[in-house]
Amino acid sequence: MKSTDVAVLEGVSRALSEADGYRLIFSEDDRSAIRRLEEVNVNLFLYDCCDEVPEDESALLRSRLAHTSCTRILLLDHEKVRSGHELANRTASYLFLFKPVEAMQLSLVAKRALEHAELSRRHRILSRELKLSLDDDIFHGVKESFVQGGYSQFERLVFLSPKMAELVSEAQMAAKTNMPVLIQGETGTGKELLARAIHFNSPRRKSAMLVQNCGGIAENVLHSELFGHVRGAFPGAISDRLGLFRAADGGTILLDEVSDISPQFQIALLRFLQEGEVKPLGSDTMLHSDVRIIAASNKRLERLVEKGSFRRDLYYRLRGFQLNVPSLAERPEDIPALTRFFVEKYAGVVGRHVLGITADALQRLEAYPFPGNVRELETEVQRMVAVAEQGGYIAIRHLSDKISKTPVYDRDKLPALTSEGSLKDIVERVERSVVERALDTYQWNQSKVAADLGLSRVGLANKIKRYDIQRKRRA
Ligand SMILES: Nc1ncnc2c1ncn2[C@@H]1O[C@H](COP(=O)(O)OP(=O)(O)OP(=O)(O)O)[C@@H](O)[C@H]1O
Ligand SMILES: [Mg+2]
């Protein structure tokens, strides 16, 4: 930066670092600038064009290719470079200034440029968040599952595991049809997200998708929510109510916790599925509505059918397509992908710069069983991002206790699974080894070990007895 006044650059440096904690790095020539660009993550690149037009090997042109998210500002000599506009276009620069510039002027421009870059970044994140509710035309062409940043995405559903890939391809098939879909899976596995993805990939995407939670709700209230009522149908019904089935005409309704509906309501729902008929409470008129039903449940409906608490005919009707979302423990490959996705999402939301997560912290996350599935992982990452240092990595100390204390087993050190013996012998050897290690890790605190291994205290005591595991005496 030979020709720019050193005092100007120092003035800029002072103004930026005092006000906002930015760090300025000076490089005397292109070669050292290129080296620094490789070493550090640069948000803003002020380039003083000492030469008439920078060569292809200049730091400026290199930064365009290698640092696409870095904002460039050019300082030009009016005598030498006539077309600042052409150069700014060629180098994808934010703007150019003719020298001489004042420190205050330059620092103000730099600050505005950084704010602009930050706003664009947040806008990108929020747009992605809003993607589901925006008019489909805007995002025409990105509706299919696609791979991005090491993971695949089906709308807002992020995944990497073959199990989820298979599920998504079934969901894409289901989306093209008009048939009811039954989505089953443990709490927090992403059933609602999958239902939304199906709706937004179906021919109904231009109409509404409405959600009704059927759990813990009185039958007449549920009936009136879905089928509507007429004025005076029951005490307190002071006006007519349309009901979701008619409000979502042409669209989709997600019936969440469908396992909880009463036998009486099961009949009404079956009739709607068979005939599309809607009879508001207190009315004699039969109305019609064209709504696609997606039902979700974290209880297995087939078990309720066997027990006799859920109608078999309704179950068959609901499961035009049956999609079972696996628990997160059944697809540990998704943990790193989801973690990366959530780190980026929440760092963006709170405006924090997080470089990523360390390998050993990620290993703990992978070892933790996540009974609350993806929802629990998301909450954990949100917390981790909030407590991580600005510009640093998420490390073990940022994890919550339950996860940082999760014993991580080195699979290579577990007894060789291929050694002789029947399957039962091998399983028992592994079980013994896992229990021993957990006891060591928690220094024989049996409540913690039981909680960690998902055993009852009695269950753990039985295993200790059965394998005759002895506490090692400390030397
Ligand atoms: N594959 C995924 N990719 C990104 N986010 C996910 C994924 N799966 C779940 N989530 C997030 O986890 C949270 C729970 O998801 P969702 O509400 O769809 O789960 P659910 O199965 O309907 O849970 P519940 O049974 O408790 O209603 C949401 O914040 C959702 O955004
Ligand atoms: Mg749900």
Side-chain angles (χ1 to χ4, degrees):
M1 310 267 155
K2 285 159 250 151
S3 59
T4 299
D5 192 346
V6 173
V8 169
L9 290 179
E10 276 173 1
V12 174
S13 168
R14 221 174 308 117
L16 287 179
S17 53
E18 272 169 17
D20 302 288
Y22 293 114
R23 189 157 74 99
L24 243 78
I25 301 171
F26 292 94
S27 295
E28 286 284 331
D29 49 36
D30 272 291
R31 197 131 51 90
S32 62
I34 289 170
R35 217 176 29 247
R36 295 315 303 265
L37 279 169
E38 277 163 12
E39 290 164 1
V40 287
N41 185 19
V42 175
N43 298 106
L44 182 73
F45 190 24
L46 288 171
Y47 188 82
D48 184 349
C49 294
C50 310
D51 298 319
E52 293 189 6
V53 176
E55 294 163 3
D56 281 350
E57 277 319 285
S58 71
L60 181 62
L61 282 144
R62 284 243 188 148
S63 80
R64 182 195 172 163
L65 300 175
H67 297 261
T68 44
S69 59
C70 162
T71 303
R72 281 166 287 276
I73 295 180
L74 309 180
L75 302 178
L76 306 178
D77 188 336
H78 204 249
E79 297 295 272
K80 294 179 180 166
V81 181
R82 290 267 157 221
S83 175
H85 184 252
E86 188 274 328
L87 183 60
N89 272 346
R90 188 155 66 87
T91 54
S93 295
Y94 177 65
L95 52 74
F96 60 92
L97 298 168
F98 283 118
K99 292 185 284 189
V101 283
E102 285 178 21
M104 283 318 290
Q105 180 194 5
L106 191 51
S107 53
L108 187 64
V109 167
K111 227 186 274 180
R112 293 284 177 267
L114 288 166
E115 282 166 5
H116 181 262
E118 176 60 17
L119 285 176
S120 311
R121 197 176 64 82
R122 289 192 196 184
H123 181 260
R124 271 199 308 279
I125 291 166
L126 288 175
S127 302
R128 197 165 59 200
E129 283 292 296
L130 282 171
K131 193 164 71 185
L132 288 179
S133 53
L134 286 176
D135 189 347
D136 178 45
D137 291 344
I138 302 173
F139 290 97
H140 189 69
V142 295
K143 288 286 164 185
E144 293 297 302
S145 153
F146 61 96
V147 175
Q148 176 199 300
Y151 49 74
S152 303
Q153 230 173 321
F154 177 44
E155 296 291 347
R156 279 166 58 190
L157 209 70
V158 167
F159 62 96
L160 189 66
S161 61
K163 281 192 178 136
M164 285 300 285
E166 202 178 309
L167 183 75
V168 163
S169 82
E170 280 176 51
Q172 282 169 329
M173 267 191 302
K176 294 196 188 97
T177 74
N178 242 338
M179 292 172 77
V181 181
L182 173 61
I183 306 179
Q184 303 193 108
E186 288 178 12
T187 180
T189 45
K191 296 185 295 295
E192 183 165 344
L193 225 49
L194 183 63
R196 289 186 184 278
I198 292 173
H199 170 73
F200 283 100
N201 281 268
S202 77
R204 296 170 175 267
R205 61 176 155 295
K206 295 237 161 74
S207 304
M209 157 150 174
L210 301 176
V211 181
Q212 176 63 48
N213 195 322
C214 308
I217 182 167
E219 186 189 316
N220 61 340
V221 178
L222 183 61
H223 199 110
S224 126
E225 286 295 318
L226 289 172
F227 291 88
H229 62 240
V230 294
R231 197 154 68 116
F234 52 86
I238 50 170
S239 58
D240 289 357
R241 181 178 193 131
L242 189 61
L244 294 191
F245 280 144
R246 286 177 59 225
D249 198 6
T252 307
I253 289 219
L254 169 62
L255 296 176
D256 211 354
E257 309 288 343
V258 76
S259 56
D260 284 13
I261 60 175
S262 67
Q264 208 53 37
F265 194 77
Q266 290 179 28
I267 297 172
L269 183 58
L270 182 63
R271 198 166 48 228
F272 176 76
L273 283 162
Q274 284 168 339
E275 321 290 345
E277 283 176 355
V278 181
K279 189 157 159 275
L281 273 184
S283 160
D284 293 331
T285 322
M286 200 59 95
L287 304 165
H288 280 84
S289 166
D290 165 31
V291 166
R292 190 221 199 138
I293 300 284
I294 302 184
S297 169
N298 45 33
K299 295 192 194 113
R300 308 282 294 201
L301 285 193
E302 56 267 45
R303 295 208 186 119
L304 302 183
V305 169
E306 277 157 27
K307 279 201 325 206
S309 58
F310 203 89
R311 291 181 72 104
R312 187 176 295 275
D313 45 8
L314 177 58
Y315 169 60
Y316 287 144
R317 272 276 165 181
L318 286 175
R319 52 155 222 194
F321 277 86
Q322 181 167 342
L323 304 175
N324 295 327
V325 189
S327 68
L328 192 53
E330 290 171 80
R331 46 182 166 114
E333 312 92 298
D334 283 343
I335 293 178
L338 285 164
T339 303
R340 250 196 328 273
F341 171 76
F342 290 137
V343 166
E344 202 185 312
K345 170 175 164 184
Y346 286 106
V349 169
V350 296
R352 189 170 285 254
H353 185 51
V354 177
L355 292 177
I357 178 163
T358 61
D360 49 359
L362 189 58
Q363 207 180 18
R364 298 290 156 110
L365 286 173
E366 286 176 285
Y368 181 72
F370 284 108
N373 293 293
V374 186
R375 182 182 288 114
E376 190 180 1
L377 174 63
E378 180 170 6
T379 313
E380 181 67 21
V381 174
Q382 191 175 6
R383 212 190 55 81
M384 284 163 15
V385 168
V387 296
E389 293 85 25
Q390 178 78 345
Y393 280 92
I394 293 170
I396 291 186
R397 66 178 180 285
H398 301 123
L399 304 178
S400 60
D401 266 9
K402 63 177 189 232
I403 295 176
S404 64
K405 296 218 170 78
T406 302
V408 176
Y409 302 114
D410 184 344
R411 279 184 210 140
D412 299 337
K413 289 193 186 135
L414 283 175
L417 298 181
T418 49
S419 56
E420 328 84 71
S422 65
L423 178 62
K424 184 163 169 283
D425 293 339
I426 298 170
V427 169
E428 284 184 349
R429 271 206 306 281
V430 174
E431 186 174 66
R432 181 195 167 116
S433 155
V434 168
V435 173
E436 270 179 342
R437 272 158 216 250
L439 285 164
D440 274 357
T441 306
Y442 291 110
Q443 289 159 16
W444 279 73
N445 180 331
Q446 295 191 25
S447 309
K448 287 191 179 165
V449 174
D452 191 43
L453 297 180
L455 295 169
S456 64
R457 283 284 312 257
V458 177
L460 175 65
N462 286 340
K463 294 207 188 295
I464 295 172
K465 199 162 150 211
R466 172 156 161 226
Y467 294 125
D468 191 24
I469 303 174
Q470 306 285 337
R471 187 168 192 168
K472 286 182 208 120
R473 300 247 166 265
R474 296 215 178 269

